């Protein structure tokens, strides 16, 4: 299969360079690399002029096409006609050498796959299950990891997700791909992370990334995944490994982020289920309230800078919560 790599970037010239150097070492190299740059300066362009990479094409976008989902749609329209699979990577990723080999091979092993996601290795510590049943641990497929405090507290209130990792629960607020272990297996999911994703090019004949998710685009990947999962199979290949080294550059302020957590979270919940039952609505609101309270408590436990961030984000969550109660978003198909 011929595949294209699209990297949408914004004000991260040095992390992007690290990513491209890891792409350069791949055992299976992309047939084309498209850099879609929304930066408001020329640093990324200057870095690329000083470092040459095979098959690379650079595009600088203006205000009309700036923002993650807009830049992705822009890149898709620039892909060569001969391409079979389109891959996306965040600009603060570093790949292991066999990433693309493992990722693309999944389409041969799972010919029904419409999308395949990669696997981030540096965010969660997993070990083989010791056979215990400790509430401080989460167990899955013979592996275990520490159960985050928010999930332990949700258990006490009967608000644990009613779906496996990688699937959206009936009241949303599910377990991410980080709750799938590094087993080397391929797992069926309905949610893949946009920053480590790939799709058959044919899916973009009918679908595109929603411009509802402007700017930073929090949960845009979940929205696209849920709409795509209604049409076919999605997978995560845990053998397609990479590191995600979160870079603060280009991120929104904490108030906007907190508002997006709730408002965009409500949106993807309704993408999957436009008319949830009263019980499900109560659980969504109860979980949102509990998670906001937990974030507020960080004001008491963190250092001064983190306390300010926690407080600002919490206020954003409250504002986002009221915004969906009195001015809920219109779901786009």
């Amino acid at each position: 299969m011929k595949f294209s790599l699209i990297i949408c970037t914004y004000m991260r010239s040095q992390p992007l360079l690290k990513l491209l150097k890891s792409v350069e070492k791949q055992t299976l190299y992309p047939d084309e690399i498209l850099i879609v740059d929304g930066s408001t300066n020329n640093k990324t362009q200057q870095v690329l002029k000083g470092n040459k990479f095979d098959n690379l094409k650079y595009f600088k976008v203006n205000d009309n096409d700036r923002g993650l989902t807009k830049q992705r749609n822009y890149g898709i329209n620039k892909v060569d006609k001969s391409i079979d699979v389109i891959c996306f990577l965040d600009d603060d990723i570093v790949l292991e050498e066999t990433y693309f080999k493992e990722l693309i091979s999944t389409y041969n092993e799972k010919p029904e796959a419409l999308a395949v996601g990669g696997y981030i290795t540096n965010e969660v510590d997993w070990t083989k299950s010791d056979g215990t049943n400790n509430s401080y641990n989460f167990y899955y497929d013979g592996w275990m990891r520490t159960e985050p405090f928010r999930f332990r507290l949700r258990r006490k209130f009967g608000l644990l997700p009613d779906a496996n990792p990688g699937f959206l629960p009936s009241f949303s607020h599910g377990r991410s791909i980080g709750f799938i272990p590094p087993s080397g297996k391929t797992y069926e999911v309905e949610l893949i992370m946009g920053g480590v994703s790939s799709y058959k090019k044919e899916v973009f004949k009918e679908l595109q990334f929603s411009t509802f998710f402007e700017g930073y685009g929090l949960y845009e990947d979940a929205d696209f995944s849920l709409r795509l999962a209604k049409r076919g199979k999605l997978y995560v290949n845990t053998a397609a490994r990479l590191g995600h080294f979160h870079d603060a550059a280009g991120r929104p302020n904490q108030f906007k982020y907190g508002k997006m957590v709730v408002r965009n979270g409500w949106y993807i919940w309704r993408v999957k289920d436009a008319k949830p039952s009263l019980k499900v609505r109560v659980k969504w609101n109860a979980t949102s309230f509990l998670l906001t309270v937990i974030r507020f408590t960080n004001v008491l436990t963190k250092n001064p800078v983190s306390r300010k961030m926690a407080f600002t984000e919490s206020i954003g969550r409250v504002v986002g919560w009221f915004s969906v109660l009195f001015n809920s978003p219109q779901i786009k198909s």
Side-chain angles (χ1 to χ4, degrees):
M1 285 186 167
K2 298 188 71 174
F3 69 100
S4 175
L5 168 61
I6 298 177
I7 305 172
C8 300
T9 188
Y10 177 76
M11 310 293 280
R12 289 178 177 172
S13 58
Q14 291 306 310
L16 174 64
L17 181 59
K18 290 180 181 179
L19 166 57
L20 289 172
K21 287 185 175 180
S22 73
V23 173
E24 195 172 38
K25 297 176 182 177
Q26 290 293 295
T27 57
L28 182 64
Y29 193 81
D31 294 282
E32 66 175 3
I33 301 172
L34 278 59
I35 306 297
V36 184
D37 182 16
S39 302
T40 55
N41 59 36
N42 293 319
K43 289 184 178 180
T44 298
Q45 190 172 11
Q46 292 168 0
V47 164
L48 294 177
K49 284 183 178 179
N51 296 270
K52 300 300 181 182
F53 298 94
D54 291 342
N55 305 339
L56 189 144
K57 302 174 184 177
Y58 174 81
F59 301 93
K60 183 72 176 286
V61 298
N62 57 28
D63 289 344
N64 291 333
D65 291 307
R66 182 176 291 120
L68 183 57
T69 56
K70 290 181 179 179
Q71 286 174 234
R72 283 187 175 163
N73 290 332
Y74 182 97
I76 291 165
N77 290 329
K78 299 296 182 180
V79 166
D80 189 85
K81 293 180 180 180
S82 66
I83 293 298
D84 301 299
V85 173
I86 299 176
C87 304
F88 292 92
L89 289 172
D90 280 348
D91 52 12
D92 51 2
I93 292 287
V94 175
L95 304 177
E96 294 192 10
E97 290 184 3
T98 60
Y99 175 78
F100 284 122
K101 177 184 176 183
E102 297 290 350
L103 192 76
I104 300 302
S105 70
T106 314
Y107 288 98
N108 295 320
E109 297 165 4
K110 307 282 188 182
E112 74 281 10
L114 296 180
V116 179
Y119 187 78
I120 297 171
T121 61
N122 65 323
E123 294 181 343
V124 179
D125 292 325
W126 285 88
T127 58
K128 289 292 185 68
S129 176
D130 58 8
T132 61
N133 188 22
N134 190 325
S135 62
Y136 281 81
N137 292 326
F138 172 75
Y139 302 86
Y140 196 75
D141 197 18
W143 292 73
M144 66 182 188
R145 56 159 287 179
T146 300
E147 178 76 297
F149 172 73
R150 66 185 184 277
F151 283 99
R152 285 186 270 132
L153 193 58
R154 286 174 62 179
R155 182 188 299 274
K156 295 181 182 296
F157 289 94
L159 295 173
L160 277 180
D162 56 6
N164 285 336
F167 288 85
L168 195 74
S170 61
F171 56 99
S172 198
H173 303 294
R175 294 187 186 272
S176 67
I177 302 303
F179 287 89
I180 292 177
S183 63
K185 298 179 183 179
T186 297
Y187 296 87
E188 184 179 347
V189 296
E190 67 176 4
L191 297 168
I192 60 175
M193 296 174 287
V196 295
S197 62
S198 69
Y199 309 89
K200 284 184 177 173
K201 191 178 72 170
E202 65 192 50
V203 307
F204 297 108
K205 293 178 180 178
E206 298 181 359
L207 294 177
Q208 64 176 359
F209 292 98
S210 173
T211 53
F212 168 81
F213 301 87
E214 296 180 352
Y216 184 64
L218 185 68
Y219 303 151
E220 49 75 31
D221 47 3
D223 165 69
F224 190 81
S225 293
L226 289 169
R227 288 186 286 127
L228 185 57
K230 294 176 181 179
R231 299 167 180 259
K233 302 286 188 180
L234 284 65
Y235 295 93
V236 165
N237 185 345
T238 63
R241 297 160 56 91
L242 49 85
H244 190 191
F245 300 91
H246 297 272
D247 193 283
R251 293 182 180 273
N253 66 47
Q254 292 302 120
F255 175 82
K256 288 183 178 179
Y257 180 81
K259 185 177 178 181
M260 282 191 290
V261 166
V262 177
R263 190 170 178 84
N264 293 11
W266 182 95
Y267 187 97
I268 64 166
W269 171 47
R270 293 304 184 88
V271 166
K272 183 172 181 180
D273 185 359
K275 296 181 179 180
S277 67
L278 177 60
K279 179 181 178 180
V280 168
R281 290 169 188 253
V282 169
K283 281 197 167 188
W284 184 88
N285 282 279
T287 308
S288 296
F289 175 77
L290 182 61
L291 294 176
T292 300
V293 169
I294 292 172
R295 191 64 176 123
F296 261 121
T297 63
N298 294 151
V299 175
L300 305 175
T301 60
K302 302 290 184 179
N303 62 52
V305 173
S306 296
R307 284 202 295 266
K308 181 180 179 180
M309 292 174 64
F311 179 77
T312 306
E313 181 186 321
S314 299
I315 295 299
R317 286 179 182 239
V318 172
V319 171
W321 195 11
F322 278 102
S323 77
V324 299
L325 291 176
F326 298 106
N327 184 27
S328 58
Q330 295 297 310
I331 305 299
K332 299 180 180 180
S333 59

